[in-house]
Structure formats: structure tokens, C-alpha cells
Amino acid sequence: MTPNIAAAKAALSHLDIETSAAAVKAKSRDFFWYSPVLKARLDNVMADFVVSPRTEADIIEILKTCYTHDVPVTTRGSGTGNYGQAMPLAGGCILHLRHMAEVKEVHPGRVIVEPGCLLKDLDAACQAHSGQEIRMFSSTWATATIGGFIAGGSGGVGSCTWGSLRDLGNIIRLRVVTMEAEPRVLELRGDDLARVSHAYGTNGIITELEMPLAPAYDWVQMFVATDDFYDAAALAEDLANEDGILIKLATVFEAPIAKDFFQRVAPYVTQDTHLVALMVAPHSMDGFETFLRRRPAAKVIYRSDTAEWARKPGLVFEYGWNHTTLRALKVDPSITYLQVRYGGTAQIKLIEEMRDALSPEVLQHLEVMREAGKVVFAGLSLVKFTTEERLDEIIRMHEEAGAMVFNPHRYTLEEGGRQTVDDRQLAFKKEADPKGLLNPGKMISWDVPDWDYTRMYSYAKIREVGRS
Amino acid sequence: MTPNIAAAKAALSHLDIETSAAAVKAKSRDFFWYSPVLKARLDNVMADFVVSPRTEADIIEILKTCYTHDVPVTTRGSGTGNYGQAMPLAGGCILHLRHMAEVKEVHPGRVIVEPGCLLKDLDAACQAHSGQEIRMFSSTWATATIGGFIAGGSGGVGSCTWGSLRDLGNIIRLRVVTMEAEPRVLELRGDDLARVSHAYGTNGIITELEMPLAPAYDWVQMFVATDDFYDAAALAEDLANEDGILIKLATVFEAPIAKDFFQRVAPYVTQDTHLVALMVAPHSMDGFETFLRRRPAAKVIYRSDTAEWARKPGLVFEYGWNHTTLRALKVDPSITYLQVRYGGTAQIKLIEEMRDALSPEVLQHLEVMREAGKVVFAGLSLVKFTTEERLDEIIRMHEEAGAMVFNPHRYTLEEGGRQTVDDRQLAFKKEADPKGLLNPGKMISWDVPDWDYTRMYSYAKIREVGRS
């Protein structure tokens, strides 16, 4: 099965297609470089051409054409994922959804939108229509697309209240086109959503999304400082457990993350300051202030509605989730990160164990989430990277202590997830992408069904620049 | 200290004042008769006159006048409380707030309102203004006032998501007038709210409230039937733990409550049907249906948006909370109830223990609530009343098993609560009502500071009709 790139390009030449090396190279990359492991392996990956459809009919034509000519198709929104989700490992076609950005309908509690809409633009449209916003978003809100978030993300700002994208109710409907001789258009709801959400576009292309909305408030964004790390963690956890105080973000940063990596915050903290970033609904601020008065060890150092900082810090959520890592590695390029799931009643003990064993090589960055109705911590720990062996050892230490690690130094769905086959996604790929042309190399169970996860998977057909 | 009723009436005669025995008797009663214990003791309680202020200035004048003439003042909204909250034990003045019902301001996430506004009217105003509604309300929504709910209630429909009224953030601000020679007007926020919320008007009169709002949705109201009680309980609890499915009500009724007491539901159930009443946001219905498909033992027998019942059941929440008791005692006047707090990880075991020991003398009616971030069950168990001794024994059985009972067969704050003095409320009464004229007999710690709770408190100065 050799792709006929030239034939596909010719057939699609009436569409918005880019073929110059510079343009194709730029759109063949995402934020994989957060990981030194992925950077070492994927830096020269490059597609053959980029095509940007304007309609679902265009997508159907592109998929049909690429199917005919055996051309791999890797779909991207803005390319802000950092698991290499949008990296075209086998070259071929980049399906770029930037033109499909229409907000089609807004209703009380839900919106219908095209996949290429920026999260920021989607929120602006919902706010303007009826004072609503999406329940959760990645910290890349300003630049990422809703389709990319659903296909490549798992939760984010808002997950402290609403849980994860995979939770029932957090996606209502996805409209999907298959990669077949005659592409089909499917409407997925309920249990079927799990086939294609967080599947990196390996088994269908999302052309329309229906998402639940929450009221949009003028969230009060804050930084709260403590001298003790566990005071900061307890504040975030306890606040999330206050049923009457509505929050959208509760993030904990171990010292000296704030001092070393948050440039505009640094003047207001010391090397020993642990920081909590919060977004609280304005009508919950009275309740929050009462909550805070019971914790004299915690000091609000920044409030977006009243602060007089000479240089404002910008959006507080742009310090949390994966932006923490981004800010850290801009200052210290040797920083990378882990994604850890703590949870359970002993989660603070587990965090303490990791901190005692690994700080400051590993600095705690905790995000409050809800899981099955309970408040839990997700860790996006900052790691001072030395070698891949040491990184693997750090991951092993977490796993042996009882924390689950979603390894962000792997580009496959399985290794970045629970290291098991997702039968629903695999079954749907067999049905919707029989030639295996969608985002090749990202689903191990498709390539090597009996893979045993004892070492890092390496896709056999990686196509690097100059080797095509 | 003998009240000079005649002087007070004369001084207030320019206001809306009622003095006819029939009118005064009617407004001297609340829903105390839910309890056979309270009915036996309070049935002949009666005030001397009723005055209905139109403004805060009127209230100040009334309190000042009654203070001067040593006249007790018991405040009421609609009188739908069932702990005897609004019963004027010592006679005197009924302060009826029906004219003070203005919705003053609506903002994103909050409303400012006068105390006499009906919950229903408040919701209608917030809905019309900006698609909002109050976070929680009593099942007497159609007839009760917001002031009465705050002064006499603790939570209700919506508490499955937002917790209780006492939780931080669920009341923003209360404006209160004191009962002194020169009444003061105080604005209470934060920790100070606990002084007067759920204090039955014993230590100040609320003249304005600022309450948080949530988005108003066209909630899908449902009845779900199961053959097994624990399937019903698990459904309610698990649904409340689905972070992405927004609900406003989850209520469990042990069989044969639905068959015996819910007239319009009865044709669709049997004596063995356990029932769950739900309110789910319309944009969460896809998620809910997916959730329900995993529970084949549960059948939706009514959906407000699609049902074709010949006789519609009305609002589903009017089957829950204290309306369950109301419907039961309309059918069987010997029914009364308990208020039980289960909670904790072993709550189902505790419920099972009570059910094994007491069903069908005590039938389980469970309401899902949130408490400190966790889903818990509140029990408003139906009790087939025989004697006061047996009722006390049933309460003791619950307490010995580890369930806390808020005894609804008592008219004092302490006995209906945690059987301890609320120091904040007592201290505020000393400051705001130095003569002890506000709703006399409802705060034991004011009357008898060393009360030991070994028997039911009986206010010494109860004034019954014909004894004045």
C-alpha cells in the first residue's frame, strides 16, 4: 500500500491546499516538544501537503480521495496538544480544520459548533448570545480549537466542578465522517461518544459538536500564597468541597514554581512561597472570603478585580494545567512534566510520599478535579529532566506508590492513557478506517495487537523529512 | 412585663392591621399539624393582632412600638413551616410580610429581594430577567416566601447540587432590623449570616435578602420505578455522583409510598414499586439516558416532556421533601415523619438497618443532598404514628444506630436542630432583642440556659385562645 501523493494532491487542487515545504513543516508540528522524549523522536516528522476544508462535503471528498490513493490523513486544529496527537507520523495529508469554525446554534445549556472554532471564540459567541460558556477547556483556550480539545484532551479548567470530558453529559453529540471508499456521516451520542472522543482522529473526523454550556461569569481570578505546601493543598481541596462556592479553577504550585517560573508573579513571592491559583464566581466571593478568614496562613496576593500590580499577570488559568509546564520550560528548557492521578482518601499522603522522595527534582503542580462525585488531585508535576532512564524511574516510583501515571512522553493513545487497548476505539477504527489511514502510528492495538508495554512503542513507518 | 396590646394596636392603627378573631386565628397557624405532638400542644395558640408592613420603615415602627409596649412579635411569611416556626406562643403581634415582596435587583448569579416574595414569584422574575432561578427551594415553592425559607428552612430542591442554606455562599447578604428601643438596621454577610438564618425570627427581622442564582433550565421531571429498594437508592446516589449530569432533585420513595399516597402516580405502579423522583437538566438528558441504559432494572414511568398520562402528576418536586409527608397524611392522617441525617460511607448500611427494624411502620423517603462536597442521604421517613412514646423510641433507635435526627416534633430551635445551644444565635439575641420579645418560646437557651434535653421542652408562657 504505497500512497499516491501526487494523485491525491492533483485531485484536491481545487481546495485550499498548501504544498510548500515551509508551510507543510509548520503544520506538521504540535506541542510534542514539551517532552524531551518525543522531541528526540518526532522532530523531523513531516506531512506531504496540508488541505483546509470549508465544509463537511469538502471533508468527505478529501477522505474519499485519500482513501482511493492510500494517503494517510492526520487531522489538526491548532496543534496545541503535547502528546504528539497531531504529528503526521507516516506523512501524507494534514487535514487542517481552521476554516470550519462556525458556531451554528446556541441554546440554554448547549451549543452546536464546528470543530475548528477556537475555544476563546466559542466562549465569546456563547457569552454574547446568552451569557453562557463551555463547562471546561484547556489552558490553551486562546489558541486551541474545540475539535482538538475533544479529540486530544481530557479535561481542564472547569473540571474541578464538572469532571472530565469522558464523564457522561460533558459531550452531547459528535458528528463524524468515516474514512472509507464511500465515507459515511454518523451522529454519535451516549456510550458511542467514547469511540471517537480522545481518539486523536484515528477513527473518524469530527465535523460538528454539541457541547453542554454553563453560565458565564466574570470569574474573580486570584493567587493565594502560603508558607506551607500542605496548607495550599488543603485550601484548594477544601474550597472545592464547599458546595455553595462556585469555582472554575483550583491549582496548587509547590515552591519555588511561582518565584522561578511565573515572571509577573515573582515580585510578590519568595522562593518559599507555595501558590494557589483560583477562579471563583463573583457572587461566591463573600462565601470565599469567609472561607479564607478561617485560614489565616493563606494570603490573597492577587485578585483580578482589585489588583494594582504594575504588570498584570493576565489570565490566571494560563498559569495552570499545561501552561505551568510551558512557563517552566520557557525559563528552564530542561523542565518537562508528568501527568499523575492521585485520588482516594489517602491522596495527600501519596503526594507527601512523592514530594519527600523527589522534591525538588519533581515539583508538585496539582489540579483539583472531580471524579465520580469526589474531589481528587491530578498532578502535572514538573520534572527536571536528566535522562530517559531517570524519567522512567520517576514514573515507576509513582506507580509503585499507587499513583497512576498517564505518560505524556509517549505518542500512542494506549501509552498516554491506561496502557490497555480501548476496545471501543479499536472496534470503531476497524469499521470506520479499514485501511488504517487515519493518524497512523497512534493506536498500538491497531498496529501490534499483542504489544506488551514493556518498552516504549516505536511506530515502524515513521516518515521523516528527506526520507519520503 | 405585661404586654399592653391595646396601646400597641392603637399606635399601629394607621398600618394594615387585622384584629378580627377569625383573621388572627388563621394567621397564627403554620403547618405544625404535620406533627401529632405539636398539634396536641399548639392547636389553640393565637396572637392578638396581625400587622402587615409595606416598608422597612413600617417594620422599624412596629418593632419600636411593640418594644415600648412589651408586645411579643412573631414574624411569618406564608406559614408553611412545619416545626411551628411561625406559631405565636405568647400571643401578641404577628408581623406578616406579605406586602414586602419586591424583587429589587437581578444580576448575573444573584438577586436582591424582599422577604415576603413567594419563591415561585422570585423564580419567575429571575427567569424573565435573565434565565436564572434560585439555587434551592422548599417543596412549598408555590406558596412559601423567600424570607420564611431562609428563617425557617435548611435546604431542599437543589440541595443535591448546592448543599444546604447554611453552607458558605448559599446566602450572600441579609438585612436585618433589631428589636430595641431604637431598632437598628444591620447588613449581615459571611459568618454573621449564621446569626439570623434558620433562627425563626427570634433575634431580628429580615427586611432584604441577597441570594445566589443558578441558570434556570426547563428541567425534565421524571419518575423512575424499580422492584428493589436498594436499586432505587443506588440510582439516586450514583446519578448525583455523575459530575457531568446536572440535576436539581433526586428523591427515593420506598414501596408502597407511591401506590398508597401518590394518587396520580398510583395507576402506573404496584404495591411493590419503589420510586425515584428526578429533575434533570434538558441538556443532560442524553447523559442521563446513557446512565439509565446501564441499569436495566430501572424503568422511567414518567417524563414531563413526553408523558401521555391522562392526569399529569404536576411538579415532581411537589412529591418530594416535605410534600411527601403532606401527601401521605392527606390519605392517612395518622402518618407523620422524621428528619434523619444518614451520610458517611456506611449510609446505605444504616438505612438498611432502620428498614429491617422498622418497615413498614417507618417507610424510607430519602433525599439526596451534598454535604462537604459529598453526596449524602437525608431521610424524611414516613412514620405511622401510634403514641408519643413509640415515636420517641423510634427516634432513639435511629440515634443509637448512628443516624442523627432533627426532631420535627419540637418547636424549639435546639430540639429541632442538634440539641445544643447555637452560641451565635443566642449572643445575637441578647444584642438584638434584649427584652426577648421576638418569637418567644422558640429558643430554649434564652429561656432556660441550663436545659438538659432529657424531656420535651414546654414553653411556660404559652398563651392559648381564651386564656389571654
Side-chain angles (χ1 to χ4, degrees), chain A residues 135 189 191 241 244 286 294, chain B residues 135 189 191 244 286 294 373:
Chain A
R135 285 179 170 181
R189 293 177 175 268
D191 278 322
N241 276 318
D286 261 69
R294 299 173 184 172
Chain B
R135 285 179 170 180
R189 292 177 176 269
D191 278 322
D286 260 69
R294 299 172 185 172

Side-chain angles (χ1 to χ4, degrees), chain B residues 128-163:
Chain B
H129 177 279
S130 43
Q132 300 187 89
E133 63 185 27
I134 49 175
R135 285 179 170 180
M136 65 189 76
F137 53 77
S138 54
S139 65
T140 48
W141 173 83
T143 53
T145 65
I146 182 69
F149 181 48
I150 300 311
S154 57
V157 184
S159 288
C160 54
T161 297
W162 295 104

Side-chain angles (χ1 to χ4, degrees), chain A residues 108-110 132 135 161-164 167-173 189-191 212-217 240-246 282-284 286-288 290-291 293-294 370-375 424, chain B residues 108-110 132 135 161-164 167-173 189-191 212-217 240-246 282-284 286-288 290-291 293-294 370-375 424:
Chain A
R110 61 193 176 90
Q132 300 187 89
R135 285 179 170 181
T161 297
W162 295 105
S164 302
D167 288 324
L168 291 176
N170 282 332
I171 303 171
I172 297 175
R173 180 178 57 86
R189 293 177 175 268
D191 278 322
L213 297 175
Y217 295 116
N241 276 318
E242 286 285 344
D243 301 303
I245 298 180
L246 182 62
H283 54 285
S284 287
D286 261 69
F288 172 72
T290 310
F291 170 88
R293 271 194 296 277
R294 299 173 184 172
R370 281 213 169 251
E371 189 177 278
K374 311 284 184 303
V375 169
R424 295 168 301 191
Chain B
R110 62 193 175 88
Q132 300 187 89
R135 285 179 170 180
T161 297
W162 295 104
S164 302
D167 288 323
L168 291 176
N170 282 332
I171 304 171
I172 297 174
R173 180 178 58 85
R189 292 177 176 269
D191 278 322
L213 296 176
Y217 295 116
N241 277 318
E242 286 286 343
D243 302 304
I245 298 179
L246 182 62
H283 53 286
S284 288
D286 260 69
F288 172 72
T290 309
F291 170 88
R293 271 194 296 275
R294 299 172 185 172
R370 282 214 168 251
E371 189 178 278
K374 310 285 184 302
V375 168
R424 295 167 301 189

Side-chain angles (χ1 to χ4, degrees), chain A residues 184 191-204 413-414 420-436 438 441-451 453 457:
Chain A
R184 288 171 295 150
D191 278 322
D192 290 342
L193 294 167
R195 296 175 170 185
V196 298
S197 65
H198 200 78
Y200 298 179
T202 55
N203 55 14
L413 285 159
E414 293 91 340
T420 55
V421 178
D422 184 320
D423 290 324
R424 295 168 301 191
Q425 292 187 346
L426 177 61
F428 190 62
K429 187 172 175 74
K430 287 177 181 167
E431 180 187 323
D433 179 27
K435 285 191 179 176
L438 291 178
K442 304 296 173 61
M443 192 188 282
I444 299 180
S445 53
W446 176 268
D447 296 343
V448 188
D450 57 351
W451 184 257
Y453 301 100
Y457 178 70

Side-chain angles (χ1 to χ4, degrees), chain A residues 50-93:
Chain A
V50 179
V51 60
S52 302
R54 295 182 189 281
T55 64
E56 186 181 85
D58 285 353
I59 292 182
I60 291 170
E61 181 184 351
I62 293 163
L63 294 184
K64 187 172 167 150
T65 301
C66 288
Y67 182 90
T68 301
H69 299 296
D70 298 327
V71 175
V73 174
T74 299
T75 307
R76 72 181 274 132
S78 305
T80 55
N82 33 39
Y83 281 70
Q85 291 101 318
M87 302 290 284
L89 301 190
C93 170

